[in-house]
Amino acid sequence: AAADWLMSHSDSSLDAAVAAALRDFAAARSAPPPPPPPPPPPPPPRANPPPPPVRGLPSPAPGVNAAAVESLRRFGGPAPARKPAGGLFGLFGGAAAPAAKGPVQVDTSLPRHLEAQGAEVHQLGARVRELFAGGQFGDALGVAERRLDLCRRTYGSEHAMYATCLNDVATFEQVFARYDRAEALFEEASKIQKKLLGQGHPHTIATLQNLAALYTAKGDAPKAEAMQLLVQALQLSSSGGGDGP
């Protein structure tokens, strides 16, 4: 409008130039805006990062039975480390008298000439658990075998400590899918524990749980389920105390 008014009121070339500029400006403002530039192409797909490592036991190494290792993840591993109590070699409570209620205590006292061997049995047990935690199952089995032999020469083959060492060897035989020997060792340990400690003792029940893990690793679901039911029944029956001395 300003350009039209100026053109109608002046004939000078300057005013005509200004009016033309105003008209061009008005036309530019009334014109539709140019379309926006096309969006940039999407970036190429990125490879998914590898998942974080799973905490817990390492992945099975070649030659290790994966099902057996998984059963250990579920049911546990070698017997837990126990610091001596009631004396240097009281690995399971020492020679202290059992409480009025509770599981039978295991006497691991030794004659003086065998004390050094008893200490080595304890140290080898700690080494077994260390190797197990690091996934070094072959090395752990070798140490567990040494410990079993030393324990037999130190405590004898009718001692609860010997049953614990049997359990450890059987655990690693299971890892390498040598199920027949593992089952025989677990059963031998269970007989010793039932005789000395009673069928409701935590150590006896733990060995039966190991047998359940063995059956699970073998894929024998009926036996595994039956063993778990037995374990649950024993746990319920012994919840008020052990079987007594």
Side-chain angles (χ1 to χ4, degrees):
D4 293 339
W5 182 87
L6 187 59
M7 288 292 293
S8 63
H9 288 77
S10 175
D11 293 330
S12 66
S13 60
L14 178 60
D15 290 338
V18 172
L22 287 172
R23 187 178 294 108
D24 293 340
F25 175 76
R29 292 193 62 182
S30 61
R46 299 175 60 184
N48 293 329
V54 178
R55 294 186 179 275
L57 290 178
S59 300
V64 174
N65 183 270
V69 174
E70 179 58 30
S71 71
L72 290 177
R73 286 191 173 100
R74 294 178 55 196
F75 293 97
R82 299 172 185 267
K83 293 183 179 180
L88 180 60
F89 304 107
L91 305 183
F92 294 92
K101 293 183 179 181
V104 177
Q105 300 296 304
V106 179
D107 182 5
T108 57
S109 59
L110 289 167
R112 185 175 296 276
H113 71 283
L114 292 176
E115 287 184 348
Q117 290 181 201
E120 187 176 355
V121 168
H122 177 69
Q123 292 165 0
L124 290 174
R127 179 59 178 160
V128 167
R129 288 179 288 274
E130 179 183 346
L131 292 168
F132 171 80
Q136 298 172 267
F137 302 126
D139 292 340
L141 174 58
V143 176
E145 292 275 18
R146 285 173 49 204
R147 187 188 185 214
L148 177 63
D149 178 67
L150 180 62
C151 184
R152 179 185 56 78
R153 291 185 283 109
T154 303
Y155 292 97
S157 59
E158 291 290 327
H159 195 281
M161 177 62 77
Y162 184 69
T164 296
C165 294
L166 286 169
N167 255 303
D168 285 358
V169 174
T171 294
F172 295 107
E173 290 291 344
Q174 174 183 332
V175 165
F176 290 100
R178 294 190 282 265
Y179 297 130
D180 290 343
R181 187 182 184 219
E183 186 172 4
L185 294 174
F186 281 139
E187 288 179 348
E188 183 180 356
S190 180
K191 289 178 182 178
I192 295 171
Q193 291 166 333
K194 184 177 180 180
K195 177 182 177 181
L196 299 179
L197 307 175
Q199 64 180 4
H201 193 279
H203 297 172
T204 308
I205 293 175
T207 298
L208 297 179
Q209 288 177 316
N210 288 340
L211 276 168
L214 173 67
Y215 296 140
T216 299
K218 291 174 65 175
D220 193 338
K223 278 190 175 182
E225 183 178 2
M227 188 60 68
Q228 278 300 307
L229 290 175
L230 174 60
V231 166
Q232 292 171 10
L234 291 174
Q235 289 172 330
L236 287 174
S237 66
S238 62
S239 58
D243 293 336

